[in-house]
């Protein structure tokens, strides 16, 4: 049996903001998504005030002001650098480290399994806290799915005091029987509904499902989940990242856009980005949707929502193909006389590139693949959008708005924190 | 690739110490410059022992002038080392980030400035010692 831990940073973005700004301690803080759109991180004080994940900031602005909630624009430069530090701080505590997301890291604790792992995990949390100021929780269990669940338990239940070691079967059962099925990692909304119909509402009940029954519900993921909850690692990586059904690249504009050229520049950039994302996951797409819209929260302004859906045939991850389709769609849907505030590209019907159905007449795919690889390499090495097709444009007027962004405290020498010697 | 032959002896049989040397030497005569091959000096690496736990900060003010730290200097602040009396530290006092010398005196800890005309501050339970100043960087001109 393996011993896996998940260390997860508490309210990560808020914790990063607080690391260099002591005025944020003890007050409610919300971090807003790109372009100051929605709440994507909340301090515990903000959670207590009822601010929800995804709440549009401008709709709750009055309430935020009334309660003295501080709103920060997201500062991914800072969050990324702090993540690097967090990972460095945990490395010596594990034989292997796998970054799962910006604030979650899986650890292989097998070599330490016969030690007191709660003490081990607490020493690790202390080191992260000391090096970065960031508070964390740790879940320990035989599989990744259970480690993820243990982590949620550690976070929610004060009983665990930040570390839940669910290797003990009795304790594990106790937690699983109280853990909502819908909150189990990998259980989507649709699956949760299907499970609920069968009267399955806890993680413990999922664990006790017959494999045949899980398979009958139609998803391989669920079958693997049952195994994982039973403590049997089921090629956990695939459980983590089931092939995505769809992906989107969407941004709001810093200043409203009212000319086709500027919109085309934005849409083209999103198409390029979407292609890059697809390729990094080894996927190809069969459907591309391009959309752009006016500000639907401005009831006084004229409204228009444009959306065009296109079939990609053959299925592709070629940025230039995506770009051509996106531009065709955007041009067809364009209407003069509106102030557009948001645009995006969505890709659906995604399959693994090796499973891509071949078509006749698809030209020299291999050569195009090499071009895309080169493009990704150039952009990876020299920074985003170093190599761009001319259509993408070079102006960046529509780049996102981030009015309350904190400085790049740790990555730009002009922006390092000031210490008073007065 | 065939095993590397050294004096007609198969590579695998060379004693391990010798193997270490061999591994860094390309075939042929050793380069006479080999002993001089070193990386250029990395000043940041010398200033910063624990990159993941170190932060740069910019000094504003003159209260540490006698310790040789001037207005506008960059200091390297480490959170990997334990603060000890005698260290220059970054402390949070009533929400302000301040740099002082940590001193023990009369059975308690103090944050002590090192310049004329500045007051020392008693360390209380609300004072947070955020980090230890471990290095200083200053440029005079470009």
């Amino acid at each position: 049996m393996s011993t896996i831990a998940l260390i997860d940073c508490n309210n990560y973005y808020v914790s990063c903001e607080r690391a260099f700004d002591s005025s944020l301690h003890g007050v409610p803080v919300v971090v807003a998504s790109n372009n100051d759109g929605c709440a994507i991180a909340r301090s515990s004080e903000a959670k207590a005030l009822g601010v929800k994940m995804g709440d549009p900031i401008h709709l709750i602005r009055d309430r935020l002001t009334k309660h003295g909630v501080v709103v920060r624009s997201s500062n991914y430069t800072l969050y990324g650098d702090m993540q690097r530090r967090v990972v460095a701080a945990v490395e010596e505590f594990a034989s292997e480290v796998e970054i799962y997301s910006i604030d979650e890291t899986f650890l292989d604790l097998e070599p330490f399994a016969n030690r007191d792992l709660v003490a081990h995990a607490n020493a690790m949390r202390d080191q992260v806290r000391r090096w970065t100021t960031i508070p964390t929780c740790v879940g320990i269990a035989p599989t990744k799915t259970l480690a993820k669940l243990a982590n949620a338990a550690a976070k929610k239940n004060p009983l665990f005091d930040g570390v839940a070691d669910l290797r003990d079967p009795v304790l594990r059962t106790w937690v699983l029987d109280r853990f909502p099925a819908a909150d189990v990692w990998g259980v989507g909304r649709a699956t949760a509904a299907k499970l609920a119909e069968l009267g399955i509402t806890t993680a413990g009940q999922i664990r006790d499902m017959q494999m045949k029954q899980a398979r009958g519900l139609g998803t391989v993921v669920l079958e693997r989940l049952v195994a994982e909850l039973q403590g049997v690692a089921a090629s956990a990586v695939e459980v983590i990242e089931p092939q995505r059904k769809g992906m989107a690249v969407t941004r709001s504009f810093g200043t409203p856009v009212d000319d086709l050229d500027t919109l085309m520049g934005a849409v083209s950039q999103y198409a390029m980005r979407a292609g890059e994302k697809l390729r990094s996951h080894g996927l190809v797409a069969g459907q591309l949707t391009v959309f752009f819209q006016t500000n639907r929260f401005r009831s006084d302004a004229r409204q228009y929502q444009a959306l065009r859906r296109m079939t990609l045939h053959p299925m592709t991850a070629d940025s230039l193909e995506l770009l051509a389709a996106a531009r065709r769609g955007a041009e067809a849907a364009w209407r003069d006389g509106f102030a557009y505030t948001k645009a995006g590209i969505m890709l659906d019907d995604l399959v693994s590139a090796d499973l891509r159905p071949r078509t006749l007449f698809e030209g020299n795919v291999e050569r195009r693949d090499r071009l895309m690889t080169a493009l990704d390499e150039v952009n990876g090495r020299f920074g985003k959008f170093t190599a761009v097709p001319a259509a993408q444009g070079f102006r960046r007027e529509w780049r996102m708005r981030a009015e309350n962004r904190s400085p790049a405290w740790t990555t730009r020498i002009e922006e390092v924190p000031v210490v008073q010697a007065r | 690739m065939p095993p590397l032959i050294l004096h007609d002896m198969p590579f695998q049989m060379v004693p391990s110490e010798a193997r270490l040397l061999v591994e860094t030497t390309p075939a042929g005569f050793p380069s006479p410059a080999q002993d001089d091959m070193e990386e250029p000096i990395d000043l940041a690496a010398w200033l910063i022992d624990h990159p993941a736990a170190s932060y740069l900060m910019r000094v504003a003010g003159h209260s540490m002038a006698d310790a040789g730290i001037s207005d506008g200097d960059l200091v390297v602040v480490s959170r990997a080392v334990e603060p000890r009396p005698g260290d220059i530290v970054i402390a949070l006092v009533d929400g302000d980030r301040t740099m002082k010398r940590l001193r023990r005196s009369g059975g308690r800890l103090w944050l002590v400035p090192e310049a004329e005309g500045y007051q020392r501050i008693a360390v209380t339970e609300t004072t947070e010692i955020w980090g230890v100043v471990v290095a200083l960087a200053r440029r005079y001109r470009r």
Side-chain angles (χ1 to χ4, degrees):
Chain A
M1 204 172 269
S2 351
T3 308
I4 292 167
L6 178 66
I7 182 165
D8 182 357
C9 301
N10 302 351
N11 310 330
Y12 180 61
Y13 298 169
V14 172
S15 298
C16 289
E17 295 292 340
R18 281 178 169 166
F20 301 99
D21 187 346
S22 55
S23 75
L24 300 179
H25 286 276
V27 300
V29 180
V30 166
V31 174
S33 61
N34 277 344
N35 202 37
D36 297 349
C38 303
I40 52 168
R42 306 152 297 155
S43 70
S44 50
E45 298 87 353
K47 287 175 188 170
L49 287 171
V51 179
K52 298 269 179 298
M53 259 336 225
D55 274 355
I57 299 294
H58 64 283
L59 290 188
I60 57 169
R61 175 117 11 223
D62 289 349
R63 191 149 53 95
L64 296 178
T65 312
K66 193 174 127 207
H67 290 110
V69 179
V70 181
V71 177
R72 279 290 150 88
S73 308
S74 44
N75 180 350
Y76 286 101
T77 308
L78 174 66
Y79 311 153
D81 184 64
M82 294 307 278
Q83 177 191 22
R84 181 178 65 79
R85 295 165 181 271
V86 170
V87 172
V90 303
E91 258 167 353
E92 68 186 78
F93 292 89
S95 61
E96 243 179 280
V97 166
E98 181 187 317
I99 296 167
Y100 172 59
S101 72
I102 196 160
D103 55 359
E104 297 164 290
T105 303
F106 281 108
L107 310 162
D108 185 349
L109 296 190
E110 193 52 35
F112 310 94
N114 44 23
R115 293 194 199 173
D116 177 355
L117 280 192
V118 173
H120 184 78
N122 274 321
M124 174 168 73
R125 295 171 70 213
D126 282 349
Q127 174 131 314
V128 173
R129 184 110 202 198
R130 236 160 30 95
W131 287 18
T132 68
T133 75
I134 291 169
T136 55
C137 281
V138 176
I140 304 165
T143 65
K144 283 186 179 173
T145 306
L146 282 169
K148 179 100 173 152
L149 192 148
N151 190 286
K155 197 157 279 185
K156 284 193 193 115
N157 194 333
L159 190 83
F160 288 114
D161 207 14
V163 181
D165 180 358
L166 296 192
R167 287 176 305 158
D168 175 61
V170 179
L171 183 58
R172 189 154 81 223
T173 299
W174 186 85
V175 170
L176 260 65
D177 287 345
R178 281 157 189 77
F179 202 89
D183 292 351
V184 174
W185 193 28
V187 173
R189 202 174 295 167
T191 310
K194 279 187 209 169
L195 290 170
E197 276 173 33
L198 297 170
I200 295 173
T201 56
T202 71
Q205 286 172 296
I206 299 181
R207 176 201 54 201
D208 296 337
M209 281 175 85
Q210 297 293 323
M211 281 296 180
K212 247 173 90 182
Q213 191 187 17
R215 202 171 310 144
L217 276 184
T219 68
V220 184
V221 175
L222 187 61
E223 207 181 320
R224 294 217 179 93
L225 254 175
V226 173
E228 285 257 323
L229 290 176
Q230 288 172 353
V232 180
S235 60
V237 180
E238 286 169 75
V239 177
I240 300 166
E241 192 75 74
Q243 300 253 304
R244 304 175 178 203
K245 285 264 163 51
M247 59 170 69
V249 178
T250 308
R251 292 282 158 73
S252 302
F253 299 137
T255 49
V257 165
D258 59 7
D259 70 289
L260 181 58
D261 274 359
T262 310
L263 180 88
M264 282 295 211
V267 163
S268 305
Q269 181 170 328
Y270 301 161
M272 295 299 288
R273 179 78 191 106
E276 208 179 298
K277 262 170 125 178
L278 266 185
R279 292 191 295 279
S280 75
H281 289 276
L283 301 171
V284 291
Q287 294 282 326
L288 179 144
T289 308
V290 55
F291 69 91
F292 48 95
Q293 61 200 44
T294 50
N295 186 349
R296 61 197 166 87
F297 296 108
R298 287 272 311 273
S299 50
D300 52 323
R302 293 172 63 219
Q303 301 286 310
Y304 177 50
Q305 268 93 41
L307 189 147
R308 283 289 185 282
R309 192 179 180 87
M310 268 143 307
T311 299
L312 301 165
H313 187 80
M315 299 176 86
T316 187
D318 184 330
S319 284
L320 299 181
E321 296 283 354
L322 300 177
L323 184 145
R327 290 177 68 87
R328 227 168 36 239
E331 196 157 22
W334 175 261
R335 275 200 219 161
D336 276 318
F338 293 93
Y340 299 105
T341 55
K342 188 174 188 179
I345 299 280
M346 288 180 288
L347 296 172
D348 296 285
D349 190 11
L350 308 185
V351 300
S352 165
D354 349 309
L355 302 176
R356 183 174 68 104
R358 301 277 155 178
T359 55
L360 292 170
F361 316 116
E362 55 174 61
N364 192 342
V365 177
E366 207 195 341
R367 210 173 134 199
R368 216 40 182 290
D369 283 352
R370 286 208 302 272
L371 173 61
M372 288 302 120
T373 308
L375 196 63
D376 290 348
E377 262 171 27
V378 168
N379 286 332
R381 188 158 339 148
F382 301 108
K384 285 239 150 66
F385 309 124
T386 306
V388 297
Q392 194 169 318
F394 296 101
R395 285 180 302 157
R396 289 287 152 71
E397 278 167 34
W398 39 269
R399 276 289 285 274
M400 64 193 179
R401 193 174 58 191
E403 279 166 10
N404 309 302
R405 181 179 300 160
S406 49
W409 297 118
T410 57
T411 49
R412 236 173 266 160
I413 210 156
E414 307 78 37
E415 297 184 18
V416 299
V418 169
V419 56
Q420 300 297 330
R422 296 184 201 281
Chain B
M1 218 167 91
L4 174 62
I5 306 295
L6 196 69
H7 304 302
D8 294 321
M9 187 164 48
F11 178 59
Q12 287 82 348
M13 289 171 59
V14 176
S16 60
E17 272 168 68
R19 190 185 302 181
L20 270 179
L21 289 171
V22 169
E23 275 177 352
T24 57
T25 313
F29 290 102
S31 157
Q34 186 175 326
D35 287 346
D36 303 328
M37 288 295 278
E38 281 187 26
E39 291 296 306
I41 290 170
D42 180 348
L43 197 54
W46 181 75
L47 289 170
I48 303 172
D49 287 334
H50 302 280
S54 300
Y55 301 86
L56 287 177
M57 290 191 183
R58 179 81 62 185
V59 177
H62 305 274
S63 70
M64 293 303 283
D66 293 348
I69 303 176
S70 308
D71 186 54
D73 281 351
L74 274 179
V75 287
V76 178
V77 179
S78 172
R79 288 181 58 92
V81 299
E82 206 59 51
R84 287 186 302 231
D87 284 338
I88 297 170
V89 298
I90 305 297
L92 295 176
V93 180
D94 301 326
D96 287 332
R97 191 185 293 122
T98 182
M99 183 174 61
K100 299 278 185 299
R101 180 89 65 182
L102 186 65
R103 292 262 184 228
R104 192 188 298 279
S105 159
R108 61 181 309 175
L109 289 167
W110 298 87
L111 295 168
V112 184
E114 294 193 6
E116 284 291 316
Y118 295 91
Q119 296 298 310
R120 70 177 187 176
I121 305 165
V123 173
T124 67
E125 57 271 25
T126 61
T127 311
E128 182 188 339
I129 307 295
W130 197 90
V132 177
V133 175
V134 292
L136 173 77
R138 178 188 304 162
R139 286 193 61 129
Y140 291 99
R141 60 159 290 175
R142 300 217 168 252

